[in-house]
Amino acid sequence: MTTTYGQGPVAQLARQVGLEVLGPAARIAESQRAVPEEVWNVLFETGLTMPIDEQYGGGGVPDSLEQMEIAENLAYGDPGIAVAALSNAAAPLLIGRVGDASQREALSLLARDVEARSSVALFEGYGRSPSEYETSFTPIDNGLWRIVGQKLVVPFASEANPLLVVGISKSDGTLKAAVLDAHADGIETKLNTRALALDAMPTFTMHLDAAVASENLLGGVEADADELASGIAHYRLLLAAVMVGTAQRANDYASQYATERVAFGRPIAAFQGISFLLAEAQIRIESARLSIREAAFWLKGSLAFQQEVTRIVNYAGVVATQSTRDAVQVLGGHGFIADHPVELWYRSAAALSTFDFDPLYSNFEPAL
Amino acid sequence: MKKSYYVSDALHEYGETVREWSVAEVRPYARQADNLHAPPENWREIMDTCPVPLVDFYDNPALPIPQFEEGPWVRKLVTVENLLYGDCWPCAVVPQVSAGYLLLDRMGTQAQRDRWSGILQSTEAKTALGFTEPGCGSDTSMIATAASRHGDTWVLNGTKMFCSAGAFADFVIVFATIDKALGAKGIRAFLVPKGTPGLIVAKANESKLGLRGAITSELVFQNCSLPLDHMLGWGIEDEPPSSNDNRIKGRAGGLSVLSNNRPMVSAMAVGIAQAALDVASALLTERHSEFSTQRWSAIVVELESMNATLVRARRLNFYAQLLADKGVKNVTESSMAKAYGPPTCERVVRRSMQLIGPDGISTEHLLEKWYRDIKVYDIFEGTGQIQRTLVARALVGELAQ
């Protein structure tokens, strides 16, 4: 374990892009339901969020820990745009690990075209983790596979190329993924209405009852299911890192505010009612960050590891929702108005906490 | 058997009627109010459909006023929780919910009450409160808006933020200092009628996280000149002493009014959280076959646990207001109620949204709106931190900071 997490040049670049590019574009991205073109350009040029091998025209694939640093630091600027950018990179993440030669070749489009989008239809809600997904892959005649299921919050579904869907093989119970054409028969995608937050990324609800050729299966019929599971864990951890970055920014912002705002004769940070709130948030954040780091180091495909990832993701959700609400609280009435960004983080953290939520991995606790 | 431990059957049933009406008639306008950043334009028509008068809040002269054995504070608690179960936008249109009205009633002289409270009997009237300033919120002794005496007038100068209905209120009760050197003791309340020269609406409406049905304004007072008798309590010394005169001057008066309003604020949060929980429970029940058996069992326990939490919050609210109705000092109990309810209600709304999953944050449901609305209840009318300080002071005195 190193002590330099977050301090290397990649993390520093991501922090700078987060603060100088993503942050200022946060409100416009939300209102337009799209990441502004100039922001995509910066992300594209820096190569921060498109992990594609040089062989396919990409800028290379950062190691998994570096990718967590990138996710956290972009989210430090704006969680909404960070989620959009990282979700756009989920397909290359899985294809790079599991895809066959021709599927990898298709990545070159993403590597050279800033306007190209990709997507993985992953989450199903209902607390399901990947091994429990009900989207099914069944071999039928003529080398075809029938895919049936429903996927929620699918990013960029209408324009994504490639668009992957993840499910469970009916023949051997392992994880499978397939490359889909969003406009093919049997695939219905419906643009979701606006949400509490994260509107910079258009999301879709997808209903599938479609047949695909076996060459569309990611990595073919005999694909390495463990490697796929490990890639999915990687993406889920990236979203956890976004939650940690959001929590960290909110806590830093509230801490700064608490040193400036005066009440009862001194800065409010001088009162333990405020400073302990901030300190406890920081302790939780550090703990969540360490768990993400460790999991990103091990990245495995086992069932036990998936459960560990579920635990980490859900803890990150607890940390982010609590830290952002505390940040609003520290700012008081000023936290409740859009003049300050904490209300945006309050919404973003809660929104993201629902994506991969499992009621078995956190509890309702009254505040008192 | 009696239906509720805290209230008579008559009041309980009254509350149920308000709740059913609010779900049927108020809730359908929730999204519109949120999008418009204002109450629905036809709010009066909507309010007039209530089959019972919202006693103390929105009286309909066409309907007989119900009589309850409970006092006004408990009665208001029942009304307000059930009203907000539909949605919170009516808070922006019911006149007497405003602290401005309470302040006039509590701090004004008989002559002042006679003069202005008539306006308030009208369902058209609005009052606003100017307490918070850009540089001060929780610490009201820092109020910098100045009132200086010039002959027969007071002249106000300063800025007030977060004034509910400030942009269009018929009058604003403004707290200002007559002598900064006196600190908290120098603070007085002034009644500023709409249209007074020097009363400037600097920002008609803030862009807020939630509670958007209410207009929240920033007001600037620039050499705003008022007759001397616009200071609440002015000339009170001339009135014959009264044994039941409990009027309080200055900042203490303002704070004491806020104190009685605190369980009400908690009840508003409880109303919203109960609505979120019930909406989520219904959606989850509809979809329960999609959950694994183990998860569904966990969810059932969670829903019960959240309901029980809201019951606990409600108990504290009722207890504090029962004391108020009996004329017993309830500052600590009011603070306990407000410290307990809002932050926990916030968690109930959040959890309700999470249990549903990604669909829980969609604007197709009201949960996401209520999660935005609910946050302010732990902030305004005394933050959770201030309430803790007040409870601690009851235990250890002024050592608590």
Side-chain angles (χ1 to χ4, degrees):
Chain A
M1 183 172 164
T2 65
T3 54
T4 55
Y5 185 85
Q7 294 163 26
V10 173
Q12 293 297 308
L13 175 64
R15 172 68 66 104
Q16 188 188 352
V17 170
L19 286 174
E20 294 175 10
V21 181
L22 272 58
R27 299 280 183 188
I28 187 105
E30 180 173 50
S31 68
Q32 294 186 348
R33 297 195 78 178
V35 176
E37 195 184 319
E38 56 274 21
V39 176
W40 278 126
N41 286 338
V42 174
L43 290 168
F44 186 79
E45 282 157 18
T46 55
L48 283 169
T49 54
M50 195 47 80
I52 296 176
D53 201 277
E54 280 126 353
Q55 188 183 345
Y56 306 106
V61 182
D63 71 34
S64 55
L65 275 162
E66 268 182 340
Q67 290 191 46
M68 298 302 147
E69 292 176 300
I70 291 168
E72 183 182 331
N73 285 295
L74 290 178
Y76 195 87
D78 178 51
I81 298 176
V83 167
L86 295 163
S87 297
N88 188 36
L93 200 69
L94 300 189
I95 293 170
R97 281 172 173 270
V98 189
D100 61 26
S102 72
Q103 288 160 347
R104 287 174 197 230
E105 283 295 338
L107 292 177
S108 61
L109 173 70
L110 284 169
R112 66 171 187 268
D113 183 359
V114 65
E115 291 179 13
R117 299 285 167 265
S118 74
S119 176
V120 177
L122 187 71
F123 300 115
E124 295 188 356
Y126 306 106
R128 291 173 204 157
S129 66
S131 62
E132 299 168 294
Y133 286 159
E134 293 200 0
T135 298
S136 60
F137 283 53
T138 312
I140 50 176
D141 297 340
N142 306 323
L144 294 176
W145 288 68
R146 183 179 175 204
I147 305 176
V148 179
Q150 177 181 288
K151 293 291 185 180
L152 305 179
V153 284
V154 182
F156 310 112
S158 60
E159 55 179 322
N161 179 22
L163 165 65
L164 302 187
V165 61
V166 174
I168 303 286
S169 165
K170 284 268 192 185
S171 54
D172 62 4
T174 58
L175 269 175
K176 285 250 177 289
V179 183
L180 296 178
D181 173 359
H183 306 288
D185 286 349
I187 298 171
E188 283 176 31
T189 53
K190 183 171 170 272
L191 177 65
N192 291 328
T193 52
R194 280 182 175 275
L196 174 63
L198 308 179
D199 278 336
M201 176 174 79
T203 66
F204 295 76
T205 298
M206 182 185 274
H207 294 273
L208 300 116
D209 187 350
V212 299
S214 54
E215 55 263 33
N216 282 47
L217 294 181
L218 193 64
V221 178
E222 301 297 326
D224 185 339
D226 264 13
E227 195 61 23
L228 177 61
S230 162
I232 291 167
H234 186 164
Y235 174 58
R236 295 170 72 207
L237 288 168
L238 286 172
L239 295 189
V242 167
M243 291 196 270
V244 166
T246 310
Q248 185 65 68
R249 182 70 193 284
N251 207 42
D252 287 351
Y253 195 94
S255 298
Q256 179 66 34
Y257 183 87
T259 64
E260 294 162 1
R261 177 78 174 184
V262 173
F264 306 105
R266 52 190 130 151
I268 58 173
F271 297 97
Q272 289 186 347
I274 298 296
S275 61
F276 280 16
L277 211 59
L278 298 165
E280 286 176 10
Q282 192 57 43
I283 295 163
R284 288 190 204 104
I285 290 166
E286 199 62 56
S287 164
R289 178 183 290 128
L290 285 168
S291 63
I292 292 168
R293 281 183 64 177
E294 186 173 342
F297 175 79
W298 295 118
L299 277 184
K300 291 185 241 180
S302 68
L303 188 60
F305 189 77
Q306 282 182 42
Q307 286 167 342
E308 178 61 14
V309 169
T310 300
R311 189 177 299 286
I312 290 166
V313 168
N314 279 270
Y315 184 61
V318 170
V319 170
T321 51
Q322 188 62 33
S323 305
T324 50
R325 77 73 64 191
D326 285 344
V328 174
Q329 190 70 20
V330 168
L331 267 75
H334 294 276
F336 196 67
I337 55 176
D339 293 12
H340 292 271
V342 285
E343 63 86 22
L344 176 64
W345 302 328
Y346 170 85
R347 293 186 284 117
S348 303
L352 191 51
S353 78
T354 64
F355 279 32
D356 203 1
F357 176 81
D358 185 342
L360 298 176
Y361 284 83
S362 64
N363 296 306
F364 168 75
E365 286 173 26
L368 287 171
Chain B
M1 202 177 89
K2 200 166 172 291
K3 289 177 179 159
S4 159
Y5 178 69
Y6 292 95
V7 297
S8 61
D9 284 357
L11 185 55
H12 179 77
E13 280 163 23
Y14 169 82
E16 296 280 295
T17 307
V18 172
R19 177 189 289 217
E20 281 168 27
W21 163 76
S22 190
V23 170
E25 304 296 336
V26 169
R27 191 174 292 174
Y29 292 90
R31 184 59 68 187
Q32 185 188 337
D34 190 54
N35 290 339
L36 283 176
H37 290 248
E41 281 177 14
N42 58 335
W43 65 264
R44 200 169 293 112
E45 283 168 38
I46 301 166
M47 297 302 287
D48 283 340
T49 62
C50 187
V52 289
L54 296 170
V55 186
D56 310 306
F57 295 102
Y58 187 85
D59 292 345
N60 186 338
L63 298 168
I65 295 172
Q67 300 297 316
F68 302 111
E69 61 195 64
E70 288 84 0
W73 287 111
V74 168
R75 191 177 68 206
K76 285 181 185 181
L77 205 57
V78 171
T79 310
V80 101
E81 186 192 322
N82 288 295
L83 177 60
L84 268 81
Y85 184 85
D87 189 63
C88 56
W89 68 257
C91 279
V93 299
V94 292
Q96 283 94 332
V97 79
S98 157
Y101 175 83
L102 299 170
L103 288 163
L104 173 62
D105 193 50
R106 190 78 195 276
M107 299 170 66
T109 61
Q110 190 58 49
Q112 289 171 329
R113 280 181 294 195
D114 290 346
R115 180 172 174 189
W116 286 299
S117 63
I119 304 173
L120 291 170
Q121 301 311 315
S122 152
T123 55
E124 312 284 323
K126 297 283 177 307
T127 66
L129 172 63
F131 220 140
T132 304
E133 298 181 356
C136 88
S138 292
D139 182 3
T140 47
S141 71
M142 287 170 67
I143 282 175
T145 297
S148 29
R149 174 107 184 241
H150 294 274
D152 290 341
T153 58
W154 292 108
V155 178
L156 299 186
N157 279 290
T159 302
K160 294 290 178 181
M161 286 188 81
F162 307 132
C163 308
S164 294
F168 57 87
D170 293 273
F171 59 73
V172 189
I173 306 282
V174 180
F175 283 78
T177 174
I178 54 169
D179 184 352
K180 194 79 180 142
L182 292 175
K185 290 197 172 81
I187 291 166
R188 297 287 183 275
F190 298 85
L191 189 148
V192 184
K194 186 180 184 174
T196 304
L199 162 57
I200 298 159
V201 179
K203 196 172 185 182
N205 201 3
E206 299 282 358
S207 174
K208 302 195 296 292
L209 170 61
L211 208 66
R212 292 178 180 167
I215 306 285
T216 305
S217 316
E218 182 178 327
L219 303 176
V220 169
F221 299 87
Q222 205 171 69
N223 295 321
C224 178
S225 180
L226 300 166
L228 290 180
D229 64 1
H230 280 49
M231 178 199 278
L232 291 188
W234 181 255
I236 201 163
E237 296 78 8
D238 304 333
E239 286 192 358
S242 158
S243 58
N244 61 355
D245 195 338
N246 61 353
R247 279 164 295 180
I248 306 168
K249 282 187 186 174
R251 188 183 73 126
L255 295 179
S256 78
V257 165
L258 289 181
S259 165
N260 274 336
N261 220 33
R262 279 170 181 154
M264 305 273 286
V265 174
S266 174
M268 293 176 192
V270 172
I272 294 171
Q274 188 71 60
L277 182 55
D278 292 351
V279 164
S281 299
L283 276 171
L284 290 164
T285 304
E286 239 173 60
R287 302 171 182 187
H288 88 272
S289 60
E290 298 282 349
F291 290 96
S292 66
T293 312
Q294 199 188 0
R295 286 199 183 90
W296 183 247
S297 304
I299 288 170
V300 169
V301 172
E302 291 242 306
L303 296 175
E304 286 170 1
S305 156
M306 288 192 271
N307 262 309
T309 302
L310 296 182
V311 171
R312 287 199 290 272
R314 212 171 269 132
R315 280 190 190 111
L316 287 167
N317 296 342
F318 273 122
Y319 183 56
Q321 296 303 63
L322 194 64
L323 293 175
D325 277 339
K326 290 189 182 302
V328 178
K329 195 175 168 209
N330 72 342
V331 175
T332 306
E333 289 77 10
S334 291
S335 288
M336 287 183 185
K338 186 159 186 305
Y340 192 93
T344 285
C345 289
E346 191 187 301
R347 290 185 182 204
V348 168
V349 181
R350 184 202 303 162
R351 193 72 180 175
S352 297
M353 214 162 56
Q354 289 174 327
L355 288 175
I356 290 167
D359 188 34
I361 59 167
S362 166
T363 51
E364 287 182 12
H365 307 295
L366 287 169
L367 294 165
E368 68 82 28
K369 173 188 181 292
W370 290 332
Y371 187 59
R372 291 184 286 107
D373 293 332
I374 196 93
K375 184 68 209 77
V376 81
Y377 291 86
D378 198 28
I379 294 173
F380 65 6
E381 308 231 5
T383 62
Q385 285 66 34
I386 292 295
Q387 308 309 331
R388 281 164 177 75
T389 307
L390 292 172
V391 175
R393 279 187 189 157
L395 295 168
V396 302
E398 294 296 317
L399 283 172
Q401 290 198 343

